[in-house]
Amino acid sequence: MDRTRTKDYNLGYMEAQIQPKVIINRREIEIAVQRLAALINKDYHDKKPVLVAVLKGAFIFLADLVRHIDLKLEVEFVCLSSYGQGRESTEEVKLVQGLCSDIRDRDVIIIEDIIDTGITTNFLLDYLNQQEPSSIKICALISKPSRRKVTIDINYLGFEIANRFLVGYGLDWAENFRHLPELCSIEDD
Ligand code: IMP
Ligand code: MG
């Protein structure tokens, strides 16, 4: 299989002919994921971190990332929702599903798909800190710094992008397009 292939998709979604356009291709994603995993391997070589992935958007990123991590680790999920059906955050974050395990005194790494305003991540930090882990770091595939409303210190970052709505590789628009293997834009340039 050609892993470097890039393509635009014509899926004819809904009434509009939405044509996702590849912004970050498979090879670029793979290189970034390997780079982040190498940093985590180095920083946590004597530890057993708990990776807390944020559903739904981080599911593909997490799955790829953990397969490049050479450590003992545990995986947990939280499900947060903030966007509803649109492209703008409602700024009201809901904890749809919390942790299943105790993270007290554990080294936690948050695995996020994309940090936009920062409001979701800030909410998650509050929720996790209440459970008194010994440390929390943040690993995000994408950041949109120009959109930030809350300062977030991202320890491991894949890509910084301009203010642009992306889909694919786990990211959705109204629950569509999560399955696309590349990061795509659905906006007209
Ligand atoms: P924030 O609270 O504004 O930082 O938004 C965080 C959440 O909004 C992410 O975890 C995503 O689920 C969603 N989100 C933000 N930007 C995008 C985007 O460009 N595409 C898809 N989802 C996004
Ligand atoms: Mg989303």
Side-chain angles (χ1 to χ4, degrees), residues 9 20 29 57 59-60 113 141-142 166-173 176-186:
Y9 299 86
I29 296 171
F59 79 107
I60 296 180
D113 52 354
L141 182 63
I142 304 156
L166 296 186
V167 297
Y169 200 72
L171 293 164
D172 73 306
W173 171 59
N176 294 298
F177 304 120
R178 290 195 197 277
H179 62 300
L180 303 183
E182 294 160 311
L183 284 159
C184 304
S185 167
I186 52 170

Side-chain angles (χ1 to χ4, degrees), residues 40 44 47-54 74 76 78 99 101-111 124-125 127-129 131-139 155-156:
I40 291 171
Y44 290 84
K47 299 198 167 84
K48 185 184 179 190
V50 185
L51 274 56
V52 176
V54 184
E74 291 175 29
E76 282 290 328
V78 291
L99 291 170
S101 299
D102 193 5
I103 56 159
R104 182 177 303 272
D105 300 329
R106 299 296 306 271
D107 294 300
V108 170
I109 310 175
I110 293 173
I111 310 296
L124 180 59
L125 282 168
Y127 167 74
L128 296 175
N129 271 319
Q131 305 183 42
E132 302 182 345
S134 49
S135 70
I136 304 184
K137 284 194 181 180
I138 299 172
C139 174
N155 306 93
Y156 309 101

